[in-house]
PDB file of all heavy atoms in Angstrom:
ATOM      1  N   ASP A 114      38.083 -10.094 115.897  1.00 98.00           N
ATOM      2  CA  ASP A 114      39.104 -10.213 116.950  1.00 98.00           C
ATOM      3  C   ASP A 114      38.369 -10.686 118.200  1.00 98.00           C
ATOM      4  O   ASP A 114      37.569  -9.948 118.766  1.00 98.00           O
ATOM      5  CB  ASP A 114      39.732  -8.826 117.147  1.00 98.00           C
ATOM      6  CG  ASP A 114      40.754  -8.758 118.286  1.00 98.00           C
ATOM      7  OD1 ASP A 114      40.592  -9.463 119.305  1.00 98.00           O
ATOM      8  OD2 ASP A 114      41.707  -7.953 118.169  1.00 98.00           O
ATOM      9  N   SER A 116      38.237 -13.629 121.775  1.00 98.00           N
ATOM     10  CA  SER A 116      38.826 -14.492 122.805  1.00 98.00           C
ATOM     11  C   SER A 116      40.028 -13.799 123.464  1.00 98.00           C
ATOM     12  O   SER A 116      39.930 -13.344 124.573  1.00 98.00           O
ATOM     13  CB  SER A 116      39.183 -15.878 122.261  1.00 98.00           C
ATOM     14  OG  SER A 116      39.419 -16.746 123.346  1.00 98.00           O
ATOM     15  N   GLY A 117      41.157 -13.735 122.762  1.00 97.00           N
ATOM     16  CA  GLY A 117      42.316 -12.979 123.248  1.00 97.00           C
ATOM     17  C   GLY A 117      42.724 -13.241 124.688  1.00 97.00           C
ATOM     18  O   GLY A 117      42.930 -12.293 125.445  1.00 97.00           O
ATOM     19  N   PRO A 118      42.867 -14.517 125.091  1.00 97.00           N
ATOM     20  CA  PRO A 118      43.306 -14.751 126.471  1.00 97.00           C
ATOM     21  C   PRO A 118      44.781 -14.407 126.620  1.00 97.00           C
ATOM     22  O   PRO A 118      45.464 -14.099 125.646  1.00 97.00           O
ATOM     23  CB  PRO A 118      43.086 -16.252 126.658  1.00 97.00           C
ATOM     24  CG  PRO A 118      43.206 -16.819 125.289  1.00 97.00           C
ATOM     25  CD  PRO A 118      42.695 -15.765 124.340  1.00 97.00           C
ATOM     26  N   ASN A 119      45.259 -14.463 127.853  1.00 94.00           N
ATOM     27  CA  ASN A 119      46.653 -14.128 128.100  1.00 94.00           C
ATOM     28  C   ASN A 119      47.453 -15.399 128.341  1.00 94.00           C
ATOM     29  O   ASN A 119      47.051 -16.259 129.123  1.00 94.00           O
ATOM     30  CB  ASN A 119      46.734 -13.160 129.278  1.00 94.00           C
ATOM     31  CG  ASN A 119      45.998 -11.872 128.961  1.00 94.00           C
ATOM     32  OD1 ASN A 119      46.086 -11.348 127.845  1.00 94.00           O
ATOM     33  ND2 ASN A 119      45.220 -11.384 129.909  1.00 94.00           N
ATOM     34  N   HIS A 128      37.133 -14.309 129.870  1.00 96.00           N
ATOM     35  CA  HIS A 128      37.247 -14.520 128.425  1.00 96.00           C
ATOM     36  C   HIS A 128      36.035 -15.229 127.839  1.00 96.00           C
ATOM     37  O   HIS A 128      35.986 -15.485 126.635  1.00 96.00           O
ATOM     38  CB  HIS A 128      38.519 -15.315 128.113  1.00 96.00           C
ATOM     39  CG  HIS A 128      39.756 -14.593 128.540  1.00 96.00           C
ATOM     40  ND1 HIS A 128      40.534 -15.027 129.589  1.00 96.00           N
ATOM     41  CD2 HIS A 128      40.301 -13.441 128.109  1.00 96.00           C
ATOM     42  CE1 HIS A 128      41.529 -14.168 129.760  1.00 96.00           C
ATOM     43  NE2 HIS A 128      41.406 -13.194 128.886  1.00 96.00           N
ATOM     44  N   HIS A 154      43.909 -12.359 119.413  1.00 98.00           N
ATOM     45  CA  HIS A 154      44.947 -11.399 119.825  1.00 98.00           C
ATOM     46  C   HIS A 154      45.441 -11.735 121.237  1.00 98.00           C
ATOM     47  O   HIS A 154      45.118 -11.071 122.215  1.00 98.00           O
ATOM     48  CB  HIS A 154      44.352  -9.990 119.786  1.00 98.00           C
ATOM     49  CG  HIS A 154      45.337  -8.873 119.830  1.00 98.00           C
ATOM     50  ND1 HIS A 154      46.011  -8.422 118.717  1.00 98.00           N
ATOM     51  CD2 HIS A 154      45.750  -8.078 120.847  1.00 98.00           C
ATOM     52  CE1 HIS A 154      46.798  -7.408 119.048  1.00 98.00           C
ATOM     53  NE2 HIS A 154      46.668  -7.181 120.337  1.00 98.00           N
ATOM     54  N   LEU A 155      46.227 -12.780 121.280  1.00 97.00           N
ATOM     55  CA  LEU A 155      46.749 -13.297 122.544  1.00 97.00           C
ATOM     56  C   LEU A 155      47.647 -12.288 123.260  1.00 97.00           C
ATOM     57  O   LEU A 155      48.492 -11.663 122.628  1.00 97.00           O
ATOM     58  CB  LEU A 155      47.626 -14.483 122.184  1.00 97.00           C
ATOM     59  CG  LEU A 155      47.503 -15.797 122.897  1.00 97.00           C
ATOM     60  CD1 LEU A 155      46.094 -16.307 122.802  1.00 97.00           C
ATOM     61  CD2 LEU A 155      48.461 -16.778 122.244  1.00 97.00           C
ATOM     62  N   GLY A 156      47.483 -12.178 124.567  1.00 95.00           N
ATOM     63  CA  GLY A 156      48.447 -11.412 125.348  1.00 95.00           C
ATOM     64  C   GLY A 156      49.657 -12.305 125.586  1.00 95.00           C
ATOM     65  O   GLY A 156      49.614 -13.192 126.430  1.00 95.00           O
ATOM     66  N   GLU A 249      50.139 -10.670 120.465  1.00 95.00           N
ATOM     67  CA  GLU A 249      50.836  -9.381 120.472  1.00 95.00           C
ATOM     68  C   GLU A 249      52.276  -9.526 119.978  1.00 95.00           C
ATOM     69  O   GLU A 249      52.805  -8.647 119.303  1.00 95.00           O
ATOM     70  CB  GLU A 249      50.820  -8.809 121.893  1.00 95.00           C
ATOM     71  CG  GLU A 249      49.431  -8.432 122.374  1.00 95.00           C
ATOM     72  CD  GLU A 249      49.460  -7.799 123.748  1.00 95.00           C
ATOM     73  OE1 GLU A 249      50.321  -6.930 123.979  1.00 95.00           O
ATOM     74  OE2 GLU A 249      48.639  -8.175 124.592  1.00 95.00           O
ATOM     75  N   TYR A 300      50.402  -2.331 125.127  1.00 93.00           N
ATOM     76  CA  TYR A 300      49.141  -2.768 124.547  1.00 93.00           C
ATOM     77  C   TYR A 300      48.697  -1.853 123.395  1.00 93.00           C
ATOM     78  O   TYR A 300      48.172  -2.331 122.385  1.00 93.00           O
ATOM     79  CB  TYR A 300      48.113  -2.753 125.679  1.00 93.00           C
ATOM     80  CG  TYR A 300      46.823  -3.486 125.444  1.00 93.00           C
ATOM     81  CD1 TYR A 300      46.809  -4.792 124.956  1.00 93.00           C
ATOM     82  CD2 TYR A 300      45.608  -2.880 125.755  1.00 93.00           C
ATOM     83  CE1 TYR A 300      45.612  -5.463 124.767  1.00 93.00           C
ATOM     84  CE2 TYR A 300      44.405  -3.543 125.582  1.00 93.00           C
ATOM     85  CZ  TYR A 300      44.403  -4.825 125.080  1.00 93.00           C
ATOM     86  OH  TYR A 300      43.217  -5.484 124.905  1.00 93.00           O
ATOM     87  N   ASP A 304      48.198  -2.972 119.460  1.00 98.00           N
ATOM     88  CA  ASP A 304      46.869  -2.847 118.863  1.00 98.00           C
ATOM     89  C   ASP A 304      46.912  -2.004 117.590  1.00 98.00           C
ATOM     90  O   ASP A 304      46.204  -2.293 116.626  1.00 98.00           O
ATOM     91  CB  ASP A 304      45.865  -2.265 119.868  1.00 98.00           C
ATOM     92  CG  ASP A 304      44.897  -3.334 120.353  1.00 98.00           C
ATOM     93  OD1 ASP A 304      44.606  -4.274 119.576  1.00 98.00           O
ATOM     94  OD2 ASP A 304      44.443  -3.242 121.510  1.00 98.00           O
ATOM     95  N   ARG A 311      45.683  -5.633 109.711  1.00 98.00           N
ATOM     96  CA  ARG A 311      44.372  -6.117 109.269  1.00 98.00           C
ATOM     97  C   ARG A 311      43.872  -5.353 108.046  1.00 98.00           C
ATOM     98  O   ARG A 311      43.209  -5.911 107.193  1.00 98.00           O
ATOM     99  CB  ARG A 311      43.384  -5.985 110.431  1.00 98.00           C
ATOM    100  CG  ARG A 311      43.718  -6.982 111.531  1.00 98.00           C
ATOM    101  CD  ARG A 311      43.077  -6.676 112.855  1.00 98.00           C
ATOM    102  NE  ARG A 311      43.567  -7.644 113.842  1.00 98.00           N
ATOM    103  CZ  ARG A 311      43.168  -7.700 115.087  1.00 98.00           C
ATOM    104  NH1 ARG A 311      42.290  -6.835 115.535  1.00 98.00           N
ATOM    105  NH2 ARG A 311      43.662  -8.619 115.891  1.00 98.00           N
ATOM    106  N   TYR A 322      35.899  -5.848 117.093  1.00 98.00           N
ATOM    107  CA  TYR A 322      36.632  -6.139 118.321  1.00 98.00           C
ATOM    108  C   TYR A 322      35.655  -6.594 119.388  1.00 98.00           C
ATOM    109  O   TYR A 322      34.837  -5.811 119.844  1.00 98.00           O
ATOM    110  CB  TYR A 322      37.371  -4.885 118.802  1.00 98.00           C
ATOM    111  CG  TYR A 322      38.529  -4.500 117.922  1.00 98.00           C
ATOM    112  CD1 TYR A 322      38.323  -3.852 116.705  1.00 98.00           C
ATOM    113  CD2 TYR A 322      39.848  -4.779 118.308  1.00 98.00           C
ATOM    114  CE1 TYR A 322      39.396  -3.496 115.895  1.00 98.00           C
ATOM    115  CE2 TYR A 322      40.927  -4.424 117.502  1.00 98.00           C
ATOM    116  CZ  TYR A 322      40.693  -3.795 116.301  1.00 98.00           C
ATOM    117  OH  TYR A 322      41.757  -3.447 115.499  1.00 98.00           O
ATOM    118  N   ILE A 324      35.412  -7.158 122.774  1.00 98.00           N
ATOM    119  CA  ILE A 324      36.126  -6.863 124.024  1.00 98.00           C
ATOM    120  C   ILE A 324      35.144  -6.219 124.997  1.00 98.00           C
ATOM    121  O   ILE A 324      34.219  -5.510 124.580  1.00 98.00           O
ATOM    122  CB  ILE A 324      37.317  -5.904 123.771  1.00 98.00           C
ATOM    123  CG1 ILE A 324      38.142  -6.352 122.563  1.00 98.00           C
ATOM    124  CG2 ILE A 324      38.212  -5.823 124.999  1.00 98.00           C
ATOM    125  CD1 ILE A 324      39.384  -5.524 122.296  1.00 98.00           C
ATOM    126  N   GLN A 328      37.204  -1.633 128.089  1.00 96.00           N
ATOM    127  CA  GLN A 328      38.276  -1.236 127.169  1.00 96.00           C
ATOM    128  C   GLN A 328      37.774  -0.318 126.053  1.00 96.00           C
ATOM    129  O   GLN A 328      38.471  -0.100 125.056  1.00 96.00           O
ATOM    130  CB  GLN A 328      38.956  -2.475 126.590  1.00 96.00           C
ATOM    131  CG  GLN A 328      39.778  -3.214 127.637  1.00 96.00           C
ATOM    132  CD  GLN A 328      40.655  -4.306 127.038  1.00 96.00           C
ATOM    133  OE1 GLN A 328      41.236  -4.139 125.977  1.00 96.00           O
ATOM    134  NE2 GLN A 328      40.756  -5.427 127.729  1.00 96.00           N
ATOM    135  N   HIS A 331      40.071   2.770 125.406  1.00 97.00           N
ATOM    136  CA  HIS A 331      41.318   2.331 124.768  1.00 97.00           C
ATOM    137  C   HIS A 331      41.113   2.147 123.261  1.00 97.00           C
ATOM    138  O   HIS A 331      41.885   2.659 122.446  1.00 97.00           O
ATOM    139  CB  HIS A 331      41.802   1.024 125.415  1.00 97.00           C
ATOM    140  CG  HIS A 331      42.788   0.260 124.577  1.00 97.00           C
ATOM    141  ND1 HIS A 331      44.115   0.642 124.458  1.00 97.00           N
ATOM    142  CD2 HIS A 331      42.643  -0.834 123.787  1.00 97.00           C
ATOM    143  CE1 HIS A 331      44.735  -0.199 123.639  1.00 97.00           C
ATOM    144  NE2 HIS A 331      43.865  -1.095 123.211  1.00 97.00           N
TER     145      HIS A 331
HETATM  146  N1  LIG B   1      44.350  -9.958 126.057  1.00 74.19           N
HETATM  147  C1  LIG B   1      43.365  -8.938 126.269  1.00 74.19           C
HETATM  148  C2  LIG B   1      42.725  -9.086 127.650  1.00 74.19           C
HETATM  149  O1  LIG B   1      42.767 -10.154 128.242  1.00 74.19           O
HETATM  150  C3  LIG B   1      42.279  -8.948 125.234  1.00 74.19           C
HETATM  151  C4  LIG B   1      42.706  -8.673 123.827  1.00 74.19           C
HETATM  152  C5  LIG B   1      41.608  -8.059 123.031  1.00 74.19           C
HETATM  153  N2  LIG B   1      41.981  -7.715 121.679  1.00 74.19           N
HETATM  154  C6  LIG B   1      42.648  -6.604 121.323  1.00 74.19           C
HETATM  155  N3  LIG B   1      42.909  -6.412 120.068  1.00 74.19           N
HETATM  156  N4  LIG B   1      43.044  -5.727 122.216  1.00 74.19           N
HETATM  157  O2  LIG B   1      42.148  -8.127 128.136  1.00 74.19           O
END
Side-chain angles (χ1 to χ4, degrees):
D114 176 326
S116 195
N119 298 319
H128 299 111
H154 195 82
L155 228 56
E249 293 183 45
Y300 195 49
D304 253 330
R311 290 163 185 183
Y322 290 78
I324 313 184
Q328 290 190 40
H331 161 76

